[in-house]
């Protein structure tokens, strides 16, 4: 008010403008209290997903429910860091992250609150629910790609084969400290125990064609360039290359060999992208509605197609010929919470193996 009084001295035009500003400012800056039914119709979404198709998804949620989505997009680690530093003052309602390793990390740091929802409990298979704190919404597989000119498919049927002496100097992976590798190792710990998991990690390190660098796409490109003969990648990176706008990339990816590992035993390692309601969510009811929406058939298809993944909800059809042509496979049946619980041990094994 002081500033208005000050401006009054100058001119009527300024006074008129100030009056208008004074009238609309509350709506621009600080909304005045609204009746309960129109207040808080918003979800503040912290998302590590970054696909243009997701915006359509959020728009249809707003159309269906009248609840607006305010999105903050950042990398998984940046979002976690932001949540930690914001603490109780965090405006975050829903947090979406990739990989059970990161979701577990958020859970173990107390960044989620429980969501009691019959819809989520019923729609999402129990394997992809973690203590009602977070839920997987899409799945991806960790697969092996190889150069058919240097490796026979029979040599790389299992994750275990990557540690076999026959592949010395041929294997490429990203750093063992990355969540995707920690989760795979956590799965091996769950299936085979600590000793075998550690022997496996050391065996893979001994077979590396180069010291780990880059992401999964860089490992696929390493096989294409001939620097590597075998690599580990999440399935959607391969599909992305099979759909590349660059013809030479599409053709190179199509020539690669690809294996769904461990079909004769535990099945191919499956991970999720998922999320939950933030610990200090200002709008927990709206947040729950948003998660329930993500479990609806149309949202499931859209989420999966957006990143060449699979829906977690049964009987949801996806339209993704490049993914479907990779063929059916047996997937691992391991609760995401088990993958979470072995993260600490997985990190220690990676450390002891020097898989940096
Ligand atoms: Fe990824």
């Amino acid at each position: 008010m002081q500033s208005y009084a000050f401006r009054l001295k100058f001119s009527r035009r300024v006074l008129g403008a100030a009056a208008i500003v004074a009238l609309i400012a509350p709506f621009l800056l600080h909304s005045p209290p609204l009746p309960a039914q129109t207040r808080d119709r918003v979800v503040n979404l912290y998302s590590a997903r970054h696909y243009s198709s997701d915006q359509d998804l959020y728009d249809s949620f707003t159309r269906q429910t009248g609840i607006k989505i305010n999105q903050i997009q950042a990398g998984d680690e940046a979002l976690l860091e932001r949540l930690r530093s914001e603490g109780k003052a965090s405006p975050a309602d829903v947090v979406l992250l990739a990989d059970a390793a990161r979701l577990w990390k958020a859970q173990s740091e107390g960044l989620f609150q429980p969501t009691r929802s019959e819809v989520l409990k019923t729609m999402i298979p129990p394997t992809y629910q973690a203590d009602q704190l977070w839920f997987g919404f899409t799945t991806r597989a960790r697969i092996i790609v190889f150069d058919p000119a240097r490796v026979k498919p029979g040599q790389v049927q299992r994750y275990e084969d990557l540690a076999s002496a026959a592949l010395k100097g041929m294997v490429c992976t990203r750093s063992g400290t990355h969540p995707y590798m920690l989760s795979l190792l956590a799965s091996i710990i769950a299936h085979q125990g600590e000793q075998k998991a550690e022997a496996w990690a050391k065996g893979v390190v001994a077979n590396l064609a180069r010291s780990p660098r880059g992401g999964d796409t860089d490992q696929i490109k390493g096989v294409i360039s001939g620097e590597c003969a075998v690599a580990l990648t999440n399935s959607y990176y391969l599909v992305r290359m099979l759909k590349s706008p660059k013809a030479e990339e599409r053709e190179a990816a199509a020539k690669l060999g690809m294996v769904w590992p461990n079909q004769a035993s535990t099945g191919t390692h499956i991970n999720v992208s998922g999320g939950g309601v933030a610990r200090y969510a200002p709008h927990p009811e709206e947040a729950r509605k948003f998660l329930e929406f993500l479990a609806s058939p149309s949202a499931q298809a859209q989420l999966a197609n957006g990143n060449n993944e699979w829906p977690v909800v049964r009987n949801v059809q996806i339209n993704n010929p490049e993914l479907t042509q990779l063929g059916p496979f047996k997937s691992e049946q391991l609760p995401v919470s088990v993958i979470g619980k072995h993260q600490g041990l997985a990190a220690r094994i990676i450390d002891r193996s020097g898989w940096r």
Side-chain angles (χ1 to χ4, degrees):
M1 290 313 288
Q2 266 183 350
S3 63
Y4 295 151
F6 179 70
R7 285 179 197 171
L8 270 172
K9 294 178 190 164
F10 286 89
S11 77
R12 286 195 174 170
R13 188 177 284 178
V14 171
L15 173 62
I20 290 167
V21 167
L23 276 173
I24 65 169
F27 299 99
L28 294 175
L29 302 170
H30 308 286
S31 299
L34 291 171
Q37 66 270 30
T38 53
R39 198 177 57 205
D40 294 335
R41 302 290 284 163
V42 67
V43 167
N44 296 321
L45 171 64
Y46 281 28
S47 175
R49 288 177 61 96
H50 43 83
Y51 311 111
S52 49
S53 57
D54 284 358
Q55 193 51 52
D56 301 338
L57 192 66
Y58 306 149
D59 291 344
S60 54
F61 174 70
T62 303
R63 274 196 306 276
Q64 279 180 35
T65 61
I67 300 169
K68 206 181 142 227
I69 305 262
N70 294 325
Q71 197 187 177
I72 288 179
Q73 278 185 0
D76 298 82
E77 291 307 323
L79 286 181
L80 288 175
E81 194 43 52
R82 188 166 174 154
L83 283 165
R84 282 180 205 118
S85 65
E86 288 171 343
K88 287 182 184 175
S90 177
D93 291 307
V94 169
V95 185
L96 295 181
L97 300 169
D99 203 280
R102 293 193 184 103
L103 288 154
W104 171 263
K105 201 170 176 192
Q107 172 181 352
S108 59
E109 292 181 28
L111 299 175
F112 290 124
Q113 62 170 287
T115 303
R116 292 180 221 298
S117 159
E118 277 309 308
V119 174
L120 293 173
K121 211 172 153 187
T122 315
M123 298 298 279
I124 299 185
T127 309
Y128 304 128
Q129 300 186 29
D131 309 322
Q132 293 187 309
L133 287 167
W134 53 272
F135 305 85
F137 289 108
T138 61
T139 57
R140 62 275 298 276
R142 198 127 182 93
I143 61 171
I144 294 172
V145 295
F146 63 95
D147 177 356
R150 292 172 66 191
V151 175
K152 294 186 193 78
Q155 289 179 277
V156 286
Q157 290 300 300
R158 308 171 306 154
Y159 298 113
E160 291 90 321
D161 295 333
L162 302 183
S164 133
L167 297 182
K168 192 151 201 77
M170 292 191 186
V171 178
C172 283
T173 73
R174 69 193 311 160
S175 168
T177 61
H178 189 272
Y180 299 169
M181 297 307 309
L182 289 170
S183 284
L184 175 61
L185 187 56
S187 134
I188 294 174
I189 293 168
H191 294 306
Q192 303 188 28
E194 177 176 354
Q195 273 194 341
K196 281 189 176 165
E198 181 154 356
W200 178 77
K202 287 178 174 161
V204 175
V205 171
N207 281 346
L208 290 177
R210 61 183 186 196
S211 38
R213 62 165 187 269
D216 284 356
T217 302
D218 298 302
Q219 315 315 316
I220 303 175
K221 286 181 175 169
V223 178
I224 291 170
S225 74
E227 197 177 359
C228 325
V230 185
L232 273 171
T233 177
N234 277 356
S235 43
Y236 55 87
Y237 292 111
L238 177 62
V239 178
R240 205 178 282 173
M241 285 184 87
L242 291 168
K243 292 175 158 181
S244 169
K246 298 178 197 155
E248 70 274 14
E249 208 164 84
R250 278 198 311 276
E251 284 154 22
K255 284 183 196 149
L256 293 171
M258 177 262 166
V259 163
W260 300 112
N262 294 47
Q263 293 300 284
S265 55
T266 48
T268 298
H269 171 61
I270 297 294
N271 212 298
V272 294
S273 79
V277 177
R279 167 86 173 270
Y280 300 109
H283 315 104
E285 274 301 296
E286 288 74 11
R288 177 182 54 77
K289 286 198 180 107
F290 179 66
L291 294 184
E292 290 174 348
F293 167 78
L294 293 184
S296 69
S298 63
Q300 278 284 293
Q302 231 172 314
L303 274 175
N305 287 330
N307 187 34
N308 300 302
E309 294 176 89
W310 296 280
V312 290
V313 171
R314 288 189 190 92
N315 301 320
V316 172
Q317 297 302 313
I318 52 166
N319 178 20
N320 193 339
E322 289 83 357
L323 178 59
T324 310
Q325 80 183 15
L326 297 179
F329 67 101
K330 173 181 161 183
S331 56
E332 171 186 61
Q333 298 298 317
L334 195 62
V336 282
S337 54
V338 173
I339 296 172
K341 279 168 195 153
H342 291 302
Q343 289 296 317
L345 179 55
R348 289 195 294 280
I349 291 177
I350 291 294
D351 206 40
R352 297 200 288 260
S353 318
W355 196 346
R356 308 234 140 251

